[in-house]
Amino acid sequence: MTTDLTSLATEAYVFGFPLVFNLDQVQRYVTEGVGANPAAPFNSFSHARAMAGPADTFVTINNDTLYSMAQIDLSVGPVLLRVPDTEGRYYVLQFVDAWTNNFAYVGHRATGTQAGAFLLVPPGWSGDAPDDTSATIEFPTRIASIVGRWACAGDHDLASVAALQDETTLTTLDPHARPIGIPQPADSDSDALVFFDKLRLWSQAFPAPERDQQLQAGLTPLGINDADRSIPDVDEEIASALIAGYEHGRALIEKVLHSGGTSPEVNGWKLTFHAFDYNLDFFRTGALDDPRFKIGDPKMRIIERAAAAAGGLWGNHSYEAAYIMTYVDDQGEQLTGARRYTLHLDPTPPVGAFWSLTMYDVPNFFMVENPIDRYSIGDRTPGIVYEPDGSLTITISHDEPADPTARANWLPSPAGDFRPVLRMYEPAEAVLDRTYEVPSIIRV
């Protein structure tokens, strides 16, 4: 019986990890802020005024754009979002529900760059939108995140982006309403039991999609669906199973992260074009209801969702921004700062917006301090040197290269193990259909 409960607890951990990890970060933004993004109450924006760096300890954060984050709690009723005319500048406001489903997009690709107003409404809402509303966006869960990214060309461009950020506003239609927020779990000395009590509380406050309700019902023997008894109060046998399942689940997600799950591998790169395709139910403004971007296997969908949250929380669908990553060199060995490497891009990635290669440590997937404060390199990096044929050779090493061209094209690495991520914003079809290939990272 204990073994069965442990297996069930492992399944519960993988099932619930995106919800718990995500809402922990939502609460972090509301109470503490993250790096360059200061704390901001529900239903208001937190704007980063500088590019992300090592101080921003958020998993796989990008160094391409300025972030504008908003945690939305529609217990207050509808909220009106207004966006400015960016005059062609790339930006995206990505909408992520409590279970990490990307369910809507506003911005360059999805709605254009003209000024607009969008009414954000809670599940099941009916009513009249203001006359100038461009669209009504119904949320799948009461709480969700807006993850905004603004293209920024560098320090000289910060003021222009800040002006656009300040014109991006949220207004609660009922000025007297106050958000309910996120229910707080019971106290416990066990991280595992606190995790599962969060899952118990939050899965009831923010119900999973209907297709997942049967899976949720199967967790009843663990006390997950109990509305009245907290997890730290369960009997000893269940508590032991939950603690064991917590550890097994963590190990499973870590294994999937490093194996790439169902993502194919080409030249050592994990093509995670479909890592965020677990949303099968909610397609609002700008989100594509397209079979190409849906994970069909129900078990793999749950596992991929957990791995995506752990390795790249709030990542976009690949039609908005395609991500690929690698841990290994051309000889199949872990990338490490003890060695020097090159990446020859011929041609450079075909994109409708821009591309970048960003450096992260392992296993945290954070940026790491380096002597030139360069955390990514791409088509907007000042001073990079292309080959006469238009190709580009990037040098990756911990120690600074002596050659001037290699120095101009240098992406510094940590001293230890690392994992670079290549981002392609508004990728061309050649990226998505894999006719464009990124070569292996070559050990020098």
Side-chain angles (χ1 to χ4, degrees):
M1 179 65 172
T2 302
T3 302
D4 291 343
L5 285 176
T6 298
S7 297
L8 186 62
T10 303
E11 293 179 19
Y13 181 88
V14 175
F15 171 72
F17 178 82
L19 176 70
V20 174
F21 186 62
N22 177 45
L23 291 182
D24 277 342
Q25 300 307 310
V26 169
Q27 191 68 33
R28 184 181 174 197
Y29 263 96
V30 170
T31 57
E32 304 172 21
V34 176
N37 278 85
F42 281 111
N43 304 324
S44 63
F45 274 105
S46 162
H47 299 301
R49 305 302 196 185
M51 308 297 278
D56 301 270
T57 53
F58 191 87
V59 61
T60 318
I61 197 168
N62 84 56
N63 187 241
D64 304 315
T65 62
L66 290 183
Y67 279 95
S68 290
M69 310 292 300
Q71 309 307 333
I72 308 299
D73 182 353
L74 295 180
S75 61
V76 300
V79 172
L80 187 65
L81 164 69
R82 293 192 181 276
V83 297
D85 186 347
T86 70
E87 300 180 344
R89 181 190 294 267
Y90 177 86
Y91 83 101
V92 61
L93 301 181
Q94 168 198 3
F95 291 72
V96 189
D97 76 5
W99 289 87
T100 71
N101 293 301
N102 295 331
F103 65 92
Y105 291 92
V106 169
H108 186 273
R109 175 197 62 83
T111 58
T113 61
Q114 68 277 12
F118 301 86
L119 189 65
L120 317 181
V121 301
W125 181 85
S126 61
D128 296 325
D131 291 340
D132 66 342
T133 301
S134 307
T136 296
I137 301 176
E138 181 184 358
F139 280 35
T141 52
R142 169 172 63 82
I143 282 180
S145 304
I146 299 178
V147 185
R149 302 171 176 90
W150 304 85
C152 182
D155 289 347
H156 67 280
D157 200 25
L158 291 175
S160 297
V161 175
L164 294 171
Q165 290 175 314
D166 291 340
E167 291 182 61
T168 306
T169 61
L170 293 161
T171 306
T172 303
L173 295 194
D174 180 355
H176 303 294
R178 295 293 178 265
I180 295 172
I182 301 173
Q184 294 305 300
D187 289 332
S188 172
D189 293 333
S190 166
D191 290 342
L193 298 186
V194 170
F195 173 93
F196 285 110
D197 201 49
K198 288 177 178 177
L199 176 56
R200 179 187 71 87
L201 282 170
W202 297 349
S203 62
Q204 293 175 45
F206 313 105
E210 185 176 348
R211 71 178 63 247
D212 293 338
Q213 291 297 322
Q214 185 175 354
L215 197 162
Q216 170 105 25
L219 306 181
T220 297
L222 300 172
I224 299 298
N225 297 318
D226 195 324
D228 301 315
R229 185 172 69 163
S230 67
I231 293 297
D233 294 332
V234 298
D235 64 47
E236 186 175 342
E237 182 183 23
I238 294 175
S240 296
L242 289 171
I243 291 169
Y246 177 82
E247 295 300 333
H248 294 170
R250 291 175 68 185
L252 176 59
I253 292 173
E254 185 70 19
K255 180 179 179 181
V256 172
L257 266 180
H258 282 272
S259 70
T262 59
S263 298
E265 182 175 314
V266 176
N267 299 327
W269 294 91
K270 307 291 185 184
L271 307 187
T272 56
F273 297 156
H274 301 288
F276 300 97
D277 290 358
Y278 38 80
N279 173 26
L280 306 182
D281 301 283
F282 309 111
F283 302 96
R284 314 304 192 224
T285 300
L288 301 187
D289 186 359
D290 184 332
R292 292 185 302 160
F293 303 104
K294 295 180 181 179
I295 298 173
D297 185 301
K299 290 185 177 179
M300 285 310 304
R301 183 177 70 88
I302 298 300
I303 293 172
E304 288 281 0
R305 185 177 67 180
L313 184 66
W314 300 341
N316 283 294
H317 278 101
S318 60
Y319 52 76
E320 183 68 42
Y323 310 113
I324 67 174
M325 60 200 66
T326 184
Y327 294 86
V328 298
D329 61 20
D330 59 317
Q331 299 181 42
E333 296 188 10
Q334 171 67 50
L335 296 166
T336 171
R339 294 173 175 151
R340 178 170 295 187
Y341 308 91
T342 60
L343 173 63
H344 184 63
L345 298 173
D346 183 19
T348 56
V351 292
F354 53 93
W355 66 267
S356 70
L357 183 71
T358 308
M359 179 62 64
Y360 301 97
D361 69 359
V362 172
N364 296 315
F365 310 130
F366 296 159
M367 297 178 193
V368 178
E369 296 281 0
N370 66 75
I372 61 170
D373 294 328
R374 178 183 284 177
Y375 309 106
S376 66
I377 192 169
D379 57 359
R380 300 174 305 151
T381 302
I384 56 174
V385 180
Y386 291 87
E387 305 288 344
D389 61 1
S391 64
L392 180 68
T393 300
I394 297 171
T395 295
I396 303 171
S397 63
H398 180 63
D399 296 326
E400 183 173 346
D403 177 77
T405 299
R407 170 63 175 74
N409 298 347
W410 178 37
L411 180 60
S413 74
D417 293 349
F418 61 86
R419 181 203 69 173
V421 174
L422 179 65
R423 290 179 172 87
M424 294 165 278
Y425 291 83
E426 296 188 14
E429 187 61 32
V431 173
L432 299 179
D433 68 17
R434 295 169 49 185
T435 53
Y436 174 77
E437 288 189 6
V438 178
S440 300
I441 292 179
I442 304 298
R443 186 194 307 175
V444 177

